[in-house]
Amino acid sequence: MLAEKRLLADLEGLNSPGRETLQERVYQELKRAMMQGRFAPGSALPLRSVAAAMGTSLMPVREALRQLAAERAVEVLPNRAFAIPKMTRAILADLGRTRLLIEGEAARLAAVRQGPRIADQLIALRDKISAATGAHDRAAYRSYNQEFHFCIYSAAGSPVMLHVIETLWLQAGPYLNLSFSDASGSPIVSQIRHEEAIEAMQKGDGEAARDAIVADISDAMEWIMPQLE
């Protein structure tokens, strides 16, 4: 019963897709939720529950989950059900190493190419993150945190790199779910690294931007790693 209530809470924020390209819309909505860390490691994703939450039939949900399984964001269980993969220290370490390299380089490129131009946008997102933190609003925090990072990564001007980062966030989503210290909804990572990233963008300092994003990822990993097997 408790697990069912938790699942319903996780599904609550999903939006109902439009009629056109329904499967793609379901896929994009589930992808967004997973990248934000809405689902905890090992969470089951019953087709009927997901379809009911999104107001769709089973077919587009099944096909979207199959697509996500191909991207290693979802695993297919022996009974053909779907679930969020469990996170282990080894998986987190592997993902972390790759994120540090790719996201750090994307931040460096972004600062050099468009840093001062996106600084105001990052400041606005920082303020929204602070408000969400103060309100203990996990959903808003996760959404604005994702926007903050991808505002930077998009400014790198590398579609290939951006696609790789999206794939990494899809796989890393389950551990982002663990980046809250307790049931209060407060994240464990402070905004110091975001402040450092903003300052680096304002100055167009690529090396400082890379250092800020690398430190941000590392801080979260240091907190989460002891929670895993």
Side-chain angles (χ1 to χ4, degrees):
M1 182 64 70
L2 182 60
E4 183 177 352
K5 288 183 178 179
R6 175 63 184 273
L7 173 63
L8 291 175
D10 290 338
L11 294 173
E12 189 174 318
L14 295 177
N15 297 319
S16 177
R19 292 189 176 184
E20 64 278 6
T21 61
L22 186 58
Q23 178 184 326
E24 177 62 20
R25 289 174 179 267
V26 170
Y27 165 78
Q28 291 295 341
E29 182 64 18
L30 287 172
K31 177 181 176 180
R32 180 183 66 85
M34 291 174 187
M35 288 174 65
Q36 291 176 5
R38 184 174 298 169
F39 304 111
S43 297
L45 295 171
L47 290 176
R48 293 187 183 281
S49 297
V50 177
M54 302 186 73
T56 72
S57 63
L58 297 180
M59 184 60 71
V61 173
R62 180 183 290 110
E63 293 306 313
L65 287 171
R66 284 176 176 169
Q67 187 174 349
L68 288 162
E71 296 174 357
R72 302 178 66 181
V74 170
E75 63 180 355
V76 182
L77 303 179
N79 59 359
R80 296 186 180 180
F82 297 91
I84 301 295
K86 292 183 179 179
M87 186 64 64
T88 66
R89 291 186 182 183
I91 294 173
L92 176 58
D94 195 18
L95 279 170
R97 282 190 295 268
T98 309
R99 288 189 63 199
L100 293 175
L101 291 170
I102 303 297
E103 294 177 44
E105 176 62 10
R108 187 191 69 80
L109 288 173
V112 172
R113 294 178 176 178
Q114 299 192 57
R117 294 180 58 187
I118 65 171
D120 287 345
Q121 188 176 350
L122 293 174
I123 289 171
L125 287 167
R126 175 205 63 192
D127 293 343
K128 290 180 179 179
I129 292 171
S130 295
T133 300
H136 304 300
D137 187 339
R138 289 190 184 214
Y141 172 87
R142 287 188 294 237
S143 178
Y144 293 134
N145 181 67
Q146 181 190 27
E147 284 189 50
F148 183 95
H149 280 265
F150 277 85
C151 176
I152 294 173
Y153 304 148
S154 298
S158 172
V160 172
M161 194 175 292
L162 184 62
H163 175 71
V164 172
I165 293 172
E166 287 183 349
T167 301
L168 290 171
W169 273 58
L170 259 178
Q171 295 181 44
Y175 88 73
L176 296 176
N177 185 278
L178 301 176
S179 61
F180 294 84
S181 58
D182 52 41
S184 70
S186 298
I188 51 86
V189 179
S190 73
Q191 284 221 64
I192 288 178
R193 304 308 185 187
H194 286 182
E195 296 288 354
E196 293 172 351
I198 290 172
E199 182 177 353
M201 292 297 161
Q202 290 171 326
K203 296 178 179 179
D205 188 335
E207 297 304 318
R210 176 170 58 191
D211 290 346
I213 293 302
V214 165
D216 189 42
I217 296 169
S218 298
D219 288 349
M221 287 180 60
E222 286 179 10
W223 167 267
I224 294 165
M225 192 68 78
Q227 304 181 52
L228 303 177
E229 297 179 357

